[in-house]
């Protein structure tokens, strides 16, 4: 599609540096096309303040602000948490699973508005361009996608600031605080500036926003109890809460106690390594509680197989392959495993640590009568001899044959 044919563009709009300058750039480069901005509320809170005024002043014809928080938690976060999916043993996928829910809603608005194209502000080096565009392809395969970072002459965030200043676009950042950030109700990421050198220790006092470092957390532990039904958290300290309220509460508790701060060098989908600091206070607590409850409720084979599946599930989420047959099939398996993952987990939160303080479930597979070191009549310890003889038979046979070869 030629530029002159694009009369209406829907822009994924956050109001950050990238998308702030994209509105006038689109109008300059696509014959004054109409730009409709869409901001998805996935828990950015104050970042949404003043967005409509800013979008309209910089050239957008209208701004949609879509509250996707509940959908984000129930349809993307919980399935990933139930899978136990963690990318490269550290990253709880905060940016990764936020992109599909946003892009899906943008496609719906594109169809409603009869737009000619979708535009996003993802860089050509990052993962988000893939996550956005795979979702768009899943729901609007013929839609034209405009990715300015892959075609414009701007080469850096400093040059973006130059463009913004030349076009009198107000920014909330300066060249000195120009970290690349992504915030939602699950996490906050920090990249760029001094963090680009892995040898630099992060300046936590300067960058943390969702909480404090463990050193600054209280000297007294916080106890909490999370209740689950079929793998889904439903109550905190006996009080039933909706998903957004529960997440907000856990973020406050985790943040205040220095929980969920990681400093990682991850392997991006496009091939390079990237260093970032991520804050995931409430999510880290949820993952730990769910993992503990599964230890109590899942049989050995299911638990071990599910752990293998978790790595693949994490890769699918990280790589933007949410709307694929494989991810859906894996989620169906996970849901089956969660039928008996119900119960209460008590946690001790202390200076960045999450410590098991007790758990119970009506579906617990733990039997004190069998596991006890005390006197009991259920388990015949003599049976272990025959078991070991059979289990160790391959080892014994191999050793005997090797011994015979030496004769």
């Amino acid at each position: 599609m030629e530029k002159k044919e694009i009369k209406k563009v829907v822009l994924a709009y956050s109001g950050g540096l990238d998308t702030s300058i994209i509105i006038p750039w689109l109008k300059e480069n696509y014959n004054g096309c109409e730009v409709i901005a869409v901001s998805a509320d996935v828990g950015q809170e104050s970042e949404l303040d003043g967005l409509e005024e800013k979008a309209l002043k910089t050239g957008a014809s209208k701004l949609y602000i879509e509250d996707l928080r509940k959908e984000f938690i129930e349809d993307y976060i919980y399935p990933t948490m139930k899978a136990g999916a963690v990318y490269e043993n550290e990253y709880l996928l905060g940016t990764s699973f936020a992109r599909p829910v946003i892009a899906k809603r943008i496609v719906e608005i594109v169809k409603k508005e009869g737009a000619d194209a979708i535009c996003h502000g993802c860089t050509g080096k990052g993962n988000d361009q893939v996550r956005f565009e795979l979702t768009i392809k899943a729901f609007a395969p013929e839609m034209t996608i405009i990715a300015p970072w892959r075609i414009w002459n701007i080469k850096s965030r400093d040059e973006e600031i130059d463009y913004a200043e030349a076009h009198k676009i107000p920014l909330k950042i300066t060249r000195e605080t120009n970290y690349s950030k992504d915030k939602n109700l699950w996490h906050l990421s920090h990249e760029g500036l001094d963090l680009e050198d892995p040898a630099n220790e992060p300046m936590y006092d300067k960058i943390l926003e969702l909480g404090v470092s463990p050193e600054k957390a209280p000297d007294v532990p916080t106890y909490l109890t999370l209740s689950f039904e079929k793998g889904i958290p439903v109550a905190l300290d006996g009080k039933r809460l909706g998903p957004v309220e529960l997440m907000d509460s856990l973020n406050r508790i985790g943040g205040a106690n220095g929980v969920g701060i990681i400093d990682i060098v991850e392997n991006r989908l496009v091939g390079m390594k990237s260093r970032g600091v991520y804050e995931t206070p409430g999510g880290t607590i949820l993952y730990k509680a769910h993992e503990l409850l599964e230890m109590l409720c899942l049989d050995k084979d299911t638990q071990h197989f599910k752990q293998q599946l978790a790595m693949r599930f994490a890769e699918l989420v990280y790589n933007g392959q949410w709307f694929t047959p494989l991810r859906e099939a894996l989620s169906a398996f996970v849901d089956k495993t969660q039928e008996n993952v119900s119960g209460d987990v008590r946690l001790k939160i202390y200076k960045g640590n999450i410590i098991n303080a007790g758990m119970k479930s009506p579906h617990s597979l733990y039997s004190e009568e069998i596991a006890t070191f005390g006197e009991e009549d259920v388990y015949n310890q003599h049976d272990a001899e025959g078991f070991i003889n059979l289990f160790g038979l391959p080892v014994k046979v191999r050793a005997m044959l090797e011994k015979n070869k030496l004769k």
Side-chain angles (χ1 to χ4, degrees), residues 333-404:
F333 167 80
V334 169
D335 285 344
K336 180 64 179 178
T337 70
Q338 300 300 292
E339 289 179 352
N340 290 327
V341 183
S342 300
D344 300 327
V345 180
R346 189 167 184 253
L347 299 172
K348 178 181 180 180
I349 316 295
Y350 182 67
K351 289 189 175 295
N353 295 288
I354 306 172
I355 304 162
N356 180 14
M359 50 187 172
K360 60 183 180 180
S361 169
H363 306 293
S364 172
L365 298 179
Y366 177 83
S367 171
E368 184 176 355
E369 186 179 22
I370 293 177
T372 180
F373 284 93
E375 184 177 347
E376 45 80 26
D377 297 318
V378 177
Y379 184 90
N380 186 344
Q381 299 198 30
H382 179 72
D383 291 343
E385 181 179 353
F387 166 75
I388 295 170
N389 286 336
L390 293 176
F391 188 67
L393 185 60
V395 177
K396 181 178 179 180
V397 170
R398 182 177 183 275
M400 291 170 61
L401 293 174
E402 291 293 330
K403 185 177 180 180
N404 289 336

Side-chain angles (χ1 to χ4, degrees), residues 18 22 64 94 107 152 190 196 215 221 231 237 264-265 284 287 304 319 350 354 360 380 383 387 406:
D18 295 322
I22 283 176
Y64 287 85
V107 169
W152 63 16
H190 310 265
E196 291 188 343
E215 297 93 330
D237 293 328
I264 62 173
V265 175
T284 303
Y287 260 74
H304 287 189
N319 294 342
Y350 182 67
I354 306 172
K360 60 183 180 180
N380 186 344
D383 291 343
F387 166 75
L406 298 176

Side-chain angles (χ1 to χ4, degrees), residues 16 18 22 25 55 57 94 147 182 194 205-206 297 322 361 379 393:
D18 295 322
I22 283 176
W25 182 87
K57 280 187 176 180
D182 178 70
D194 56 295
D205 288 345
K206 179 179 178 181
C297 299
W322 187 269
S361 169
Y379 184 90
L393 185 60

Side-chain angles (χ1 to χ4, degrees), residues 191-211:
E191 296 177 315
L193 298 180
D194 56 295
L195 296 178
E196 291 188 343
D197 184 350
N200 291 332
E201 180 180 5
M203 295 182 286
Y204 290 119
D205 288 345
K206 179 179 178 181
I207 65 175
L208 294 181
E209 296 180 28
L210 301 186

Side-chain angles (χ1 to χ4, degrees), residues 149-193:
W149 266 107
R150 301 202 294 253
I151 55 178
W152 63 16
N153 295 322
I154 297 172
K155 302 299 182 185
S156 68
R157 288 177 69 83
D158 267 348
E159 289 187 11
E160 284 188 290
I161 293 175
D162 292 339
Y163 184 97
E165 290 174 348
H167 290 74
K168 294 182 171 51
I169 299 170
L171 299 174
K172 293 182 179 180
I173 60 170
T174 67
R175 295 179 195 274
E176 292 73 32
T177 62
N178 186 24
Y179 288 100
S180 177
K181 298 183 181 184
D182 178 70
K183 182 181 181 183
N184 57 50
L185 50 74
W186 185 252
H187 94 148
L188 173 61
S189 64
H190 310 265
E191 296 177 315
L193 298 180

Side-chain angles (χ1 to χ4, degrees), residues 225-244:
T225 299
L226 274 167
S227 301
F228 290 81
E229 294 177 359
K230 296 186 177 182
I232 298 295
V234 295
L236 176 61
D237 293 328
K239 181 181 180 182
R240 293 188 74 91
L241 297 172
V244 176

